[in-house]
Amino acid sequence: MAVIPVALEGRSYQVHVGTGLLGRTASVAAPLLRKKIVPVITDVNARHFHGDRLADSLMQAGHEIAWFDVESGEASKSWDNLRLLTDWMLDQGVERGDHVVALGGGVVGDLAGFASAILKRGCGFVQLPTTLLAQVDSSVGGKTAINSAAGKNLIGAFHQPSLVLADISCLGTLPPRELRAGYAEVLKYGVLGDAKFFDWLESHGEAVLRLDSQVTEQAVAHSIAAKAAIVAKDERETAGLRALLNLGHTFGHALEAETGFSDRLLHGEAVALGMVLAARYSVRGGLLPDEAARRLTRAADMAGLPSEISAMGLACDGERLVDHMRHDKKMDAGTLPFILLRGIGDAFVASDVALEDVARFLDSQLQAH
Ligand code: GLY
């Protein structure tokens, strides 16, 4: 088991990573659970697969659970659910000093986290992430949000959890495609700032995806430690460091928008493609050796992640993808920061990228092969 501190002035917390942690929730979270009834926000899948283990742990410690279930899927990060959830939390008598528990993937964590950010101007919450993507990314760092008609995650707040328990055994019930999509975010930590970790993933990635418990725990803990270090230095993404976590996300977001944020392209798959595109765009600008982009492509292929947009059958051109980028929430005074690469493990923020040039580059990628 690993315990990773997220060091933030006055709001530090720990992320525990290990196998079987869900069954120990009551004891690990005991100082935070001060009332008999524990409000748990979850989705139907997470409750089906993991609800009993959480319930057993809490009930053995004398607690009862009040469940708030949402449908699985991105559509649940809605104004309607936020209103229903906050009303429910008020009905449950949740006070500022109380903690609610989020059991599930990024959708549940983002929704419960945002509700906690605004309930009585902020109550506590505990994240129990059950997907690989939520464990290595969304449950750590305090970004919480819902979606609006204008786009994903446009309404939200920074609100840090008080504790995160990442139980590796939850990953066994994930559909393989979702596991692979989460792995893209693991790969991201190597690509953006840790060449040794990327090397390690080249030889251990297959074991991670096989859910070899020791190797998977190592990969998850290493990813979380990387994120914790970044968040501790740049919690609000104002110092040019946390922005590096958006590697692959600008290209990826355009592809997600073009495919309607649907199952046609999962977020992690879009991030994998986006990282490959960011690498190839860096090669095109003479910033990155071609072999580095090829290595990244091989790592995506090894994980069964998409690496060629020409294979997606998109009926659009580069300009249309760039149009999606113009609506990206990172757009700032007419420029869009791109995360580019000087090497594997050496990402940087480029604020001078011409979108017309990106459109031409994307045209060439759409037609390649
Ligand atoms: N998922 C990117 C971040 O937490 O900053």
Side-chain angles (χ1 to χ4, degrees), residues 29-342:
L32 306 175
L33 305 178
R34 55 184 200 165
K35 290 183 179 159
K36 184 176 173 69
I37 297 182
V38 179
V40 178
I41 299 117
T42 190
D43 70 75
V44 287
N45 277 342
R47 179 156 174 195
H48 171 73
F49 287 118
H50 314 298
D52 285 351
R53 278 196 298 147
L54 176 62
D56 285 351
S57 167
L58 291 173
M59 279 154 53
Q60 274 169 25
H63 291 290
E64 287 171 19
I65 297 186
W67 295 99
F68 184 93
D69 297 327
V70 297
E71 288 300 318
S72 305
E74 197 65 31
S76 285
K77 281 169 59 176
S78 64
W79 280 110
D80 279 353
N81 273 343
L82 181 70
R83 183 177 49 74
L84 290 169
L85 174 55
T86 46
D87 281 348
W88 178 82
M89 285 161 75
L90 293 171
D91 284 348
Q92 294 298 319
V94 175
E95 297 170 340
R96 280 183 174 176
D98 292 337
H99 284 78
V100 300
V101 173
L103 173 73
V107 167
V108 165
D110 281 8
L111 174 68
F114 187 39
S116 305
I118 57 176
L119 192 98
K120 299 183 178 173
R121 300 204 176 95
C123 69
F125 78 118
V126 172
Q127 291 265 31
L128 304 180
T130 57
T131 67
L132 182 57
L133 193 132
Q135 292 187 353
V136 299
D137 185 24
S138 59
S139 69
V140 179
K143 279 190 180 174
T144 71
I146 58 166
N147 303 327
S148 84
K152 266 177 72 174
N153 295 330
L154 293 182
I155 314 292
F158 286 98
H159 185 55
Q160 300 291 344
S162 303
L163 176 70
V164 182
L165 304 183
D167 184 346
I168 299 298
S169 57
C170 292
L171 305 180
T173 59
L174 278 183
R177 187 178 169 204
E178 261 200 60
L179 186 68
R180 290 195 294 270
Y183 180 78
E185 299 276 5
V186 174
L187 211 48
K188 185 184 79 176
Y189 293 106
V191 183
L192 74 87
D194 190 343
K196 274 200 186 133
F197 185 49
F198 187 86
D199 292 350
W200 184 85
L201 287 171
E202 282 182 320
S203 45
H204 293 83
E206 186 265 327
V208 174
L209 290 165
R210 210 178 349 103
L211 293 179
D212 173 314
S213 59
Q214 217 187 336
V215 178
T216 307
E217 182 176 322
Q218 212 177 325
V220 171
H222 195 96
S223 301
I224 292 171
K227 179 152 188 183
I230 290 175
V231 169
K233 289 193 195 117
D234 185 15
E235 182 187 8
R236 300 229 160 197
E237 207 168 306
T238 49
L241 189 57
R242 187 163 184 168
L244 298 180
L245 295 174
N246 296 327
L247 172 64
H249 283 62
T250 301
F251 285 108
H253 176 86
L255 296 167
E256 283 183 280
E258 182 60 23
T259 48
F261 294 98
S262 67
D263 284 357
R264 202 170 149 202
L265 187 68
L266 302 181
H267 175 69
E269 294 169 340
V271 169
L273 273 165
M275 286 193 292
V276 170
L277 291 170
R280 291 181 187 161
Y281 189 72
S282 303
V283 172
R284 188 174 188 262
L287 297 162
L288 181 74
D290 192 32
E291 176 48 23
R294 287 182 199 279
R295 261 182 94 190
L296 178 50
T297 304
R298 283 196 296 274
D301 291 346
M302 183 287 296
L305 286 161
S307 61
E308 301 298 339
I309 53 172
S310 56
M312 290 180 67
L314 295 177
C316 71
D317 61 6
E319 186 52 41
R320 185 173 159 89
L321 292 176
V322 161
D323 252 345
H324 292 306
M325 291 178 183
R326 290 195 175 95
H327 297 106
D328 195 300
K329 64 178 171 304
K330 297 182 286 297
M331 197 81 189
D332 183 24
T335 63
L336 184 59
F338 276 76
I339 313 304
L340 299 182
L341 296 169
R342 293 194 193 93

Side-chain angles (χ1 to χ4, degrees), residues 9-34:
E9 189 82 42
R11 281 157 298 123
S12 295
Y13 58 97
Q14 291 183 335
V15 184
H16 295 227
V17 183
T19 301
L21 276 177
L22 220 46
R24 299 203 290 278
T25 304
S27 56
V28 184
L32 306 175
L33 305 178
R34 55 184 200 165

